[in-house]
Amino acid sequence: MQWHAYFGYAALSLVLFRVLWGFIGAVHSRFATFVPSPQRLIAYLRGKEGSGLGHNPLGSLSVIALLLVVGIQAGTGLFTDDDIAFQGPLAKYVSNATVSLLGSIHALNSNILFGLIGLHLLAIAYYQWIKRESILMPMIQGDKEVDVERDGSGLPASALHASKDGALQRLTAFVLLCAIALLLLYALGIISF
């Protein structure tokens, strides 16, 4: 259970980082750039808009869903208590009824999380093998090339900016992630300075 908790803290750190990076990160990482309008989503579903450099509209919705579900999973885990071997660091601050409710949400949400992970993996496979569009490496390294002739029509101007992160941007992201993780562990009383 202790490793389960460590992974939960790591997941919460990553979610908090990604939310913050959605406001201060590179252009294609920002929520203002990639959260689709209903019109853009419909245009994409009708095939009138290419995928471009950042997330396509369905990928954007997937990011939002995963952030929400992983955030709920990690957040509720902080309040769980199995009455045997593990008590979340915040469980002692709420009533037993709240611990029970959040534990139930934690258990139910894990099924939703597994479903979204499966859907995400199927989407990656679909893009890789059916559409012949490599999205796996851009997901890992954050850089993507786009054929403007093929994919550029109908995209907003911000979607055509280069998607290459420099060393300074990657270092900033790494330092920010480490700071968030340390602050989270400190706030939860896991570590002290």
Side-chain angles (χ1 to χ4, degrees), residues 86-141:
F86 181 77
Q87 182 183 48
L90 301 180
K92 60 188 170 203
Y93 299 114
V94 296
S95 69
N96 287 341
T98 302
V99 167
S100 179
L101 173 65
L102 294 176
S104 296
I105 292 170
H106 190 74
L108 173 66
N109 192 64
S110 67
N111 295 325
I112 297 169
L113 179 57
F114 289 136
L116 283 176
I117 291 169
L119 186 61
H120 205 77
L121 293 173
L122 286 173
I124 292 168
Y126 171 77
Y127 275 88
Q128 188 70 37
W129 292 310
I130 306 296
K131 291 190 81 171
R132 301 279 187 219
E133 183 179 328
S134 178
I135 63 171
L136 189 56
M137 285 311 293
M139 287 173 66
I140 294 170
Q141 67 189 26

Side-chain angles (χ1 to χ4, degrees), residues 160-180:
L160 299 176
H161 290 211
S163 180
K164 296 276 188 191
D165 295 338
L168 181 60
Q169 191 170 32
R170 291 176 195 262
L171 179 63
T172 301
F174 179 73
V175 169
L176 182 62
L177 175 60
C178 290
I180 288 170

